[in-house]
Amino acid sequence: MSDVPSTAPIITVQQHILQEQKRFPGASGEFSWLLSGITMATKLIQSKVRRAGLIDILGEHGDVNVQGEVQQKLDVYSNEMLVHCLSARESIGVLASEENEKPLLVHKGSENANYAVVFDPLDGSSNIDVNVSVGTTFSILRRPAGASLDDPERWVLQPGSEQIAAGYVVYGSSTILVYSVGNGVHGFTLEPSVGAYILSHPNMQMPAQGRYYSVNEAYCDTFPPAYNDYLQRLRSGALGHRYASRYIGSMVADFHRTLLKGGVFLYPPTESNPGGKLRLLYEANPVAFLAEQAGGKALDGTRPILDIKPDSIHQRTPLVVGSRVEMEEFERCIVQNR
Ligand code: AHM
Ligand code: MG
């Protein structure tokens, strides 16, 4: 093994964002400042997530701590960090989060605010107790022309095709930020000793076909028939090989694997969630945006996820997202089952 350091340039996410920002004429730094709010918040979140198992031992857990403060759950903490870091950005007018019933108007609605940010602060948080990967998802939208400050919902009730940027952070064996501003998908790994996200996965492309499908098969007796036909075809070798299954139960982690290795991730309609479980605005839309940027596809069963005009901020949707070959086969199964 050589000790000679790599001569490849080290590119931080901030440098990368500054480059990408040139795609937004007149953005004058506000977009990179906005994204730096997300990177800052996710560094704070990851440091708490990394200490999740220590909280009891170090005496910070319990209903009330020594200062008399009520201890927060990690998802509440994550939400507060994102709201705190993003509220400092004057270019942001509206924040919408899985943790808040209604969108928040920030800066009392500055007229200079051009963007809305929608996020799930800690997706898959029920997995924290068992040390399984969790993540943060985010989606950035431009303020619609003529949208008033009195109507923050209008800022965020836009189809996913209107996203100007989207991404996620997966708190896995390392912390990885993946984002796109509509110019390819790029991944950055957090170097924890210096607290910087370093470009590690430039121009990510989803393989045209993978080896895994990812779905909660325990519910398969309540999936619509087309989904079971499809899964049977994947298992049978009809697409050239027999598929194996992988299901973490954290969408960000399941999607991250699908992005890197190809294959398909599904959350179909089920008996208990006939309209799907995942949320359109801050779960399905960001992964659909990234998948399409990386050469894959995302559907709600029939329609492209990115075409759906939402009616409410916490609206749910079925989600099927994956590589080109698996998605073409899925569409064939849907047509054949009509
Ligand atoms: P959450 O937002 O309450 O964490 O729920 C979303 C999570 C996703 O990360 C994951 O894909 C899904 O719920 C798993 O659901 P299930 O346990 O029904 O398979
Ligand atoms: Mg969630």
Side-chain angles (χ1 to χ4, degrees), residues 98 120 123-124 283:
E98 179 175 300
D120 182 355
D123 183 57
E283 293 175 335

Side-chain angles (χ1 to χ4, degrees), residues 98 120 123-125 216 219 247 249-251 265 267 277 283:
E98 179 175 300
D120 182 355
D123 183 57
S125 54
N216 191 336
Y219 309 141
Y247 189 69
S250 265
M251 183 199 68
F265 168 81
Y267 205 110
K277 177 183 181 192
E283 293 175 335

